[in-house]
Amino acid sequence: MRKLKMGMIGGGKNAFIGAVHRIAANIDGLIELHCGAFSSNPELSIESGQALFLPKNKCYGSYEEMITAEAQLPPNERMDFVSIVTPNHAHFAPAMMALDYGFHVVLDKPMTLTLEEAKQLAQKVKETGLQLCLTHTYSGYPMVKQAKSMIADNQLGAIRKIMVEYPQGWLSTSFEKEGNKQAAWRTDPSKSGISGCMGDIGTHAAHLAEYISGLKITQLCADINTVVANRRLDDDGNVLLKFDNGANGILVASQIAAGEENSLKIKVYGEKGGLEWHQMAPNTLIVKWLDAPAQIYRTGNGYVSSIAAFNSRIPSGHPEGYLEAFANLYKNFALTLQAQLEGKEPTAEMLDFPTVSDGVRGMAFIENVIASGRSTQKWTEFKI
Amino acid sequence: MRKLKMGMIGGGKNAFIGAVHRIAANIDGLIELHCGAFSSNPELSIESGQALFLPKNKCYGSYEEMITAEAQLPPNERMDFVSIVTPNHAHFAPAMMALDYGFHVVLDKPMTLTLEEAKQLAQKVKETGLQLCLTHTYSGYPMVKQAKSMIADNQLGAIRKIMVEYPQGWLSTSFEKEGNKQAAWRTDPSKSGISGCMGDIGTHAAHLAEYISGLKITQLCADINTVVANRRLDDDGNVLLKFDNGANGILVASQIAAGEENSLKIKVYGEKGGLEWHQMAPNTLIVKWLDAPAQIYRTGNGYVSSIAAFNSRIPSGHPEGYLEAFANLYKNFALTLQAQLEGKEPTAEMLDFPTVSDGVRGMAFIENVIASGRSTQKWTEFKI
Amino acid sequence: MRKLKMGMIGGGKNAFIGAVHRIAANIDGLIELHCGAFSSNPELSIESGQALFLPKNKCYGSYEEMITAEAQLPPNERMDFVSIVTPNHAHFAPAMMALDYGFHVVLDKPMTLTLEEAKQLAQKVKETGLQLCLTHTYSGYPMVKQAKSMIADNQLGAIRKIMVEYPQGWLSTSFEKEGNKQAAWRTDPSKSGISGCMGDIGTHAAHLAEYISGLKITQLCADINTVVANRRLDDDGNVLLKFDNGANGILVASQIAAGEENSLKIKVYGEKGGLEWHQMAPNTLIVKWLDAPAQIYRTGNGYVSSIAAFNSRIPSGHPEGYLEAFANLYKNFALTLQAQLEGKEPTAEMLDFPTVSDGVRGMAFIENVIASGRSTQKWTEFKI
Amino acid sequence: MRKLKMGMIGGGKNAFIGAVHRIAANIDGLIELHCGAFSSNPELSIESGQALFLPKNKCYGSYEEMITAEAQLPPNERMDFVSIVTPNHAHFAPAMMALDYGFHVVLDKPMTLTLEEAKQLAQKVKETGLQLCLTHTYSGYPMVKQAKSMIADNQLGAIRKIMVEYPQGWLSTSFEKEGNKQAAWRTDPSKSGISGCMGDIGTHAAHLAEYISGLKITQLCADINTVVANRRLDDDGNVLLKFDNGANGILVASQIAAGEENSLKIKVYGEKGGLEWHQMAPNTLIVKWLDAPAQIYRTGNGYVSSIAAFNSRIPSGHPEGYLEAFANLYKNFALTLQAQLEGKEPTAEMLDFPTVSDGVRGMAFIENVIASGRSTQKWTEFKI
């Protein structure tokens, strides 16, 4: 085998999430940065790429140029996949083009600007048979996978209730007017889509709830708020949920929860017990029982499920974090591609990364939750 | 001065909350158990009272008998107040009678069986000028009072969001059919009223949110659930809230959150910061700031507010708990009565206990939240 | 039965620990304050007693007067026991006199000013057959008892290592020179004895280690420090320990650990697992296993040991604290006296309170640890 | 600039720490794996290197071969530094040879087998002017650096007391006899040196205490234990410490603390406050004050010190872990080398990694602590 070659779209100097993607791709030594269209400004793209030690000819001035140029190279010399780390409005076109030219895709969430785009992308993935990995990072944590496997094994009994909350405080002020790029595009409908907070972090929360529980949201009732004056998109919301097995739930996402960092938490309750996971203490999973002491499951121990073990690198007590969770998505994606390159069937463990269908559900979540927020009816069906 | 004389209604052998009330009344040495109608069964009442070292003639066979007999004694020999610790359906009649006979009242929550009863009781309290203390225990914790005073001082800025959750797991099974008395009456509409979970613990959560924030709920949207098969009342619910200053909120109460003990938590966010309090770690209040490290406020330190200090007995690091919080209600109530007996005006600190008007709001919460649960409209006005 | 009558020695207005003893005695309704010699100043004693609603004739001017006067009353009218809550130097004489006159004794720790006094007191207790309860409060916590019972049941295997630490910060400055009474006597050799920190809190830590583990300290190696300039007694120390089964340990006690409240923690490790308890979160006991998830034992649950359950009053999730732990000592002492009054044998659960022999060991700990601190030899035998 | 080329010594298939070094070197994209002598078995070395996507000619059969071969390549084609990840007994020879041939060195701790070797290595580093980075990982955490900078800024006042503990449980049984390679060499004096536990983890604890406080250990009094029967080296120890400013301290290291993972914790107390850091929750630093609420410092916030910010990659609330701390050592080492390659002076931030002098102190710690363990004298001078 060989390292896989990554071509990055976006992620130039000063961009945040591009650097995270590169670290995540670096960690396991399965992927090398091969080329990039780091900016729509060709000079900035070259400058960015060279700072990453790329030769100048691998720093393209646009993603179109990169995709067409790379596609003309022999298979072992061209990039294997693109990683798209641009704002939401610039996901769809490069992803479609990459797939059209035969490149696999890693894509940041939410997947597209609209549900309609998401469906087209799903159709394209289906037609091409290529892989698309959507970076719902939080599903990459080992203890999230432990939770998922315990529920799948029916250890908690039928699931009855899910509480997921994702409070952040960084948009408590009009940060977007103070020159913060991250805040600016996230609060701009032309770049972010119809939702701010729900699109940015509500989708993570919804994905996490469905991923861990194995259930699907069927109805929702949303209170969607724009708390900071003159902001153009929602920065806060509370949502009642119903799941396909009859369980109820609640989802809170907020970017005006002053003083909160990135405090994603989930609690799931079944007939026999419950579990609790906090993103900011990610190597611990508390499992609670009706008639016995609660248990503290911890990453890296011999007793964790095989899927949790597969997504952990170091012994117990050596904390793994967000970058390792992110790296698990890249690692599983890379192992899948390598297996396919070798003509093998990827294992279930390799295929454990969010795909285009998660992206479609995420876009549907956004559209449904915003529609519900505008409705005077209590319940809105979750439509795709 | 002298100790105040308490007459207890309910709380016989094997009852739970009666014993808690007695401990709470004992702690500060301001109150003595003077008499009781501990059971509607006269023999059991006597047996219960004697186990509490009461003379036989102070163990009455009914509350009617107790109130009439005590009222005929000279002022310094009769009870000063009644403490009513019966199930909900047996709150109204003894409370009304006690007030009619000139006795102050301590009453467990929810205050009555219906909002209509609550209003009548409020009217009676107003007419008689007597004191009624409603035992919303959680508002008795020092760090809850610290939170309240910091918000009242505008340290967090205008409040934007309140998240309160109260998960318990003890009704995850059909416990009421296994001979558990506590479960039995709480799930019986004739004794509990129109709500189970929302009445029993949802009211605590709603009171806590309003007490800490100083805000009032104006609208709610409820998903009310009966999760355990064949149960006659709700055992779970999720509620979207709007407050009178425009803040939004969420309230979760559940008795089927398997593995949870009594995990009441509240988070309040303002423009400048947020705060977080957990009932199971009650001596800690986390205060979070936009641009500075979060702070850990702790009971018993010199820096806490005067009202927090007033409701704490021991130095920092010596944990106070639920019984001390409960005792704070009794202590403040007793200090109020003693001040009045001495012809003095009770101070604001003495008067800091929940009253009949909190009880009216609590009953209104129950009626509104159940009505919302049945409605297909999203928002229900909070009507009294 | 009847309530037991307590005569208090010390604990006048503004005293700290006297008020704690009274609350602890009040909580369970088994004990009533009957009389007191609250101060060596007769006027202050009367003033203090009347503020506690005692009649004037029950407020004695000295403990000698109280003991002789009460001893002349008929059995059912006189006090049953004395509670001595004075500084260390004023423990021995009233305790000896009370025993001589046939009164049981509750005594604050450390038991006496010297080991020699402690031995005399032990001899007196033996001769009189009376009960002496030494208030090592921390052994009264339910989860401490849970820990003790799990180790006694060999659930952890043979104990190998004990780590106990008790950092406080309140003496970080020359607090004793700023008019603080608590600090003043604790740093005064004539009132406190040969040790400050080790006597005040080191004894608690040593008792806790022995109580939980069932082991005895056999050797120690101490680094005893006076950190604050011009202080006359130690305010800090670190001690290496050996136990009678060969286990090793470490004990840290400090009153200059700036910013610490009352952070007593213990960890005990055996062949098969370990456990950890923190006084400031006292209702939780973490039990750790070699090959399985750690468990969170919590007060008030059905799975706790009978001795833990016996020392808890309220359901799980309703925190009990320091005052309840203290009350457990009084409750068990009172149940023992009541059983004896009724001519019954007290049960093992009733007899579970620290006694004069714990007091002798405590005083020996102080003398040995101070001797070790002065020695250039590594190990000092634990001599009594 | 260009990526730096790393040649690895040790770290073949199934080795643990080699993989960790590679991830740490990968994370920031500043270093590429260039070659390796992964095993003393040439076939295994090739197999290991090819699994890492190295060409066969870069997989050497021995470190001697690698160093001599690479030294003959032109500067831009040869490795820039070696990373030595073998057991302790195989540190000294390759490190000396690499330095002799002009290669910088990354070396796992403890630095050598003996203090004498350590001194020779220090002399060699001094003579060659090359860089040696010793991987005391825990000093790479951002909040450890925050603690160091706050103490250096005198925010806590003069330091009075340091408590550091490092309990692990993985050697609670005779694991080394069950085929575990990690356990086997660590308990073998010929590979590990004169100490097991103190060398493996005690050195980390000692380094952390000195790094954070800026103080040096001057005296120690050790209780060194071999708890598991027939083990050849210590697996547990407790040490009293004195520091060069007169502060006292305590250090506990144990590998038989059953149920503990990797629970390194440190508490440092000064005149004005204290701080506490736990490796298993590494992004939090608790800072405690005499008269104000404790503060929760968190990685990634705007208020952290510049050195803490320099060693963090992602926004607050996105946990960084052990691998990122490890990567900080590699990153700072790499930035130092790159600066020197460009003829620039490395900044203080770049030079913030443990060096050969830390390694000498670490070896001195081992020799002194073991000598103290054997002594009947209380205090042993810390000699180098």
Side-chain angles (χ1 to χ4, degrees), chain B residues 1-3 16 20 23 26-27 29-30 53 138 141 261-262 279-280 282 298 301 313-319 321-324 338, chain C residues 1-3 16 20 23 26-27 29-30 53 138 141 261-262 279-280 282 298 301 313-319 321-324 338:
Chain B
M1 269 312 301
R2 57 170 178 79
K3 287 198 181 192
F16 157 62
V20 170
I23 294 173
N26 281 341
I27 280 180
L30 299 173
F53 310 123
Y138 304 110
Y141 277 110
E261 296 180 346
N262 193 49
Q279 192 270 149
M280 286 168 60
R298 296 261 318 151
N301 284 288
R313 290 162 186 79
I314 39 178
S316 68
H318 297 74
Y322 176 84
L323 293 169
E324 288 78 29
Q338 289 186 332
Chain C
M1 269 312 300
R2 59 171 175 78
K3 286 197 183 194
F16 158 61
V20 170
I23 293 173
N26 281 341
I27 280 180
L30 299 173
F53 310 122
Y138 304 110
Y141 276 111
E261 297 180 344
N262 193 47
Q279 192 269 150
M280 286 168 59
R298 296 262 319 151
N301 283 289
R313 290 163 186 78
I314 39 179
S316 68
H318 297 73
Y322 176 84
L323 293 169
E324 287 78 30
Q338 289 186 333

Side-chain angles (χ1 to χ4, degrees), chain B residues 343-371:
Chain B
K344 297 180 188 160
E345 196 66 30
T347 65
E349 286 170 337
M350 294 171 182
L351 288 166
D352 177 29
F353 56 83
T355 67
V356 74
S357 62
D358 296 283
V360 170
R361 282 196 71 78
M363 292 312 301
F365 173 78
I366 293 171
E367 302 214 348
N368 286 308
V369 85
I370 296 299

